[in-house]
Amino acid sequence: MKLQHLRAIVEVFKQGLNISLAAKRLHSSQPGISKQIRQLEDELGVQIFERHGKHLIKVTDAGRELLQIATDILGKADNLKVVALEHTHPEQGSLKIAATNNQLRYQLPRMISAFNTQYPQVSLHIHQNLPAPIVEALIKGEVDFTITAVVDSVFDSLLMLPCYHFELVAVVPISHPLATKQPLVLEKLIGYPIITYPISFLGKKVLRDLFGSEPLASQTFFTATDPDLIKSYVRSGLGVGIIAKMAVHSQLDQDLVSLSTSHFLPTITTKIGFMRDKFLRGYMLDFITVFAPHLTKDVIEMALEQPDNEAVEELFTSFQLPLK
C-alpha cells in the first residue's frame, strides 16, 4: 500500500467519483488512477466503489470507512512537510483563504496589507464565493481558511471560531415612506418589495425571523451577494434593501437612510474556519489573531479540545465579541 493509492481514492471521492477529473488533479492518467484503485481494493480484499461497467456509481459501506482513514493518513503525511517547513523556513509559505463578499470588501483589505508587510515571503491567495462552495473548498483541501457568516454546525470536521457579530439594517432612499419610521417594525415592511442577500448568506435563523410569514416571503424579488448592487436597486426605488450595517458608507451613502432591524432580526456571527487536523503554522496563527484579537493560540487550542462546533459555540458564550 502506497500513499499514491490513498490519494487516488480520496481524490476520486472529492471529484464526485469522476476518475477523469481526479486524474487531472493528480497529474496522472485515467487508466493510471483506475489501476491504483483496483490495486488497493485487491490488497485490502474489499470493494471501495461500486461500478456500472467502467463507471464508479457509489461508495460502498466499507469504502466510506476506508476513505475516512485514508483522508486522516494523508492529512498527517502532509503535516509532516508543513512541520518541517515551520522549523526550517518559518517566514515562508502560502495561505489560501476563501471568504464571502462582506468579509472581503469591508474587513480584510487593511489587515491583509499589514499581513503582507509582516510576512512578505508568504504567498497569499484570496477567493470569493458563496458560503457552501467555500466550505466545500476547505473540505477538499483547496484552501486553508474560510471566513463566512453562515456555516451549518454539522461540519464538525471543521473548527469554526466566532470572530465578530454584525447587524442587518434596512436601507431606503431619503424620500421613502419608511425613512422616518423609527423604530422600524417588521409589519411595516409588508407591502414593499425586499432586496437582500441570498438565503445562503442570511442563514436559517434570519430567514425564519424575516420571512416567516407568506406575505414577506413573496415580496423578495431580487437577491445579490454584492450590497452595492442591492443599494443601486434601492436607489432606483425598486424596494427596501436589507444588508449588513458595515456595508453602509457614511459619505457615499448619504442619499440613503439606514434603519435598525436589531429589535426583530438577530445579529449574524462571522467565523473563521479550518480543518481540525490541520497543522497551523506561525503565520497562520498570526493571521487569525490579527483578524480576531481574542482568538489567541491558547483560545484556539481550547476550542480544538471541544468535541464539536456546538460545544465551541458554548465555549464562546462567555466572550464579548465585537459588533461591526
Side-chain angles (χ1 to χ4, degrees):
M1 183 188 305
K2 299 179 181 179
L3 286 179
Q4 67 186 38
H5 292 135
L6 303 184
R7 292 193 190 281
I9 63 170
V10 170
E11 192 60 42
V12 165
F13 177 69
K14 287 181 178 180
Q15 299 304 324
L17 307 190
N18 189 314
I19 297 177
S20 179
L21 289 178
K24 290 180 181 178
R25 292 278 299 176
L26 295 175
H27 307 289
S28 181
S29 65
Q30 187 169 340
I33 296 298
S34 296
K35 181 179 179 180
Q36 290 170 17
I37 294 173
R38 285 290 191 187
Q39 287 175 337
L40 183 58
E41 289 179 326
D42 290 343
E43 182 177 348
L44 296 175
V46 295
Q47 197 172 6
I48 299 172
F49 302 105
E50 289 186 14
R51 294 165 173 81
H52 180 71
K54 295 183 179 180
H55 299 286
L56 305 182
I57 59 172
K58 184 181 178 182
V59 179
T60 65
D61 291 340
R64 290 192 192 92
E65 295 183 40
L66 293 171
L67 280 164
Q68 182 59 60
I69 296 171
T71 300
D72 293 342
I73 291 172
L74 291 174
K76 288 179 171 61
D78 290 340
N79 279 342
L80 288 174
K81 300 176 183 178
V82 176
V83 171
L85 281 173
E86 183 64 17
H87 286 277
T88 56
H89 300 287
E91 77 290 350
Q92 297 179 9
S94 66
L95 181 56
K96 298 176 182 178
I97 301 168
T100 48
N101 183 286
N102 281 337
Q103 323 309 324
L104 287 175
R105 177 169 292 189
Y106 303 107
Q107 298 301 318
L108 284 172
R110 185 169 56 184
M111 67 157 295
I112 286 175
S113 178
F115 180 84
N116 283 336
T117 300
Q118 183 178 358
Y119 291 101
Q121 296 186 67
V122 173
S123 176
L124 191 60
H125 306 272
I126 310 293
H127 309 274
Q128 180 198 344
N129 213 323
L130 298 171
I134 65 177
V135 169
E136 182 180 352
L138 186 63
I139 293 173
K140 287 183 175 181
E142 297 170 352
V143 297
D144 301 300
F145 294 155
T146 177
I147 302 176
T148 182
V150 181
V151 174
D152 198 325
S153 62
V154 299
F155 296 108
D156 286 324
S157 58
L158 281 62
L159 181 67
M160 301 303 302
L161 301 174
C163 300
Y164 60 84
H165 304 304
F166 67 88
E167 293 181 271
L168 292 170
V169 295
V171 289
V172 295
I174 293 176
S175 59
H176 195 279
L178 292 179
T180 58
K181 302 296 183 183
Q182 293 283 4
L184 177 67
V185 294
L186 187 59
E187 290 74 18
K188 293 291 185 182
L189 289 175
I190 295 177
Y192 294 103
I194 303 296
I195 311 167
T196 189
Y197 301 115
I199 292 173
S200 60
F201 266 51
L202 291 172
K204 295 178 182 178
K205 179 76 169 69
V206 175
L207 184 67
R208 184 177 67 247
D209 290 354
L210 182 57
F211 302 125
S213 64
E214 181 59 31
L216 277 178
S218 63
Q219 288 172 206
T220 302
F221 85 102
F222 180 74
T223 63
T225 61
D226 186 350
D228 284 339
L229 183 56
I230 293 174
K231 286 185 285 186
S232 294
Y233 272 67
V234 169
R235 288 187 173 96
S236 298
L238 295 175
V240 177
I242 296 179
I243 60 175
K245 185 177 181 179
M246 70 180 81
V248 180
H249 195 283
S250 59
Q251 298 299 319
L252 300 178
D253 296 325
Q254 293 186 37
D255 59 329
L256 299 177
V257 174
S258 174
L259 304 168
S260 174
T261 66
S262 61
H263 46 291
F264 62 86
L265 288 182
T267 57
I268 299 177
T269 303
T270 289
K271 300 176 182 180
I272 187 166
F274 54 88
M275 301 303 292
R276 282 178 172 270
D277 60 359
K278 186 175 186 62
F279 176 80
L280 296 180
R281 298 191 58 184
Y283 61 81
M284 293 178 174
L285 289 168
D286 285 347
F287 180 92
I288 294 174
T289 304
V290 170
F291 187 70
H294 62 281
L295 294 178
T296 63
K297 183 178 180 181
D298 289 342
V299 171
I300 294 172
E301 289 177 351
M302 286 173 55
L304 281 167
E305 292 173 357
Q306 307 306 309
D308 51 43
N309 282 312
E310 186 175 344
V312 173
E313 291 278 356
E314 183 65 26
L315 173 67
F316 279 91
T317 55
S318 60
F319 283 69
Q320 188 67 36
L321 298 183
L323 183 64
K324 303 289 187 177

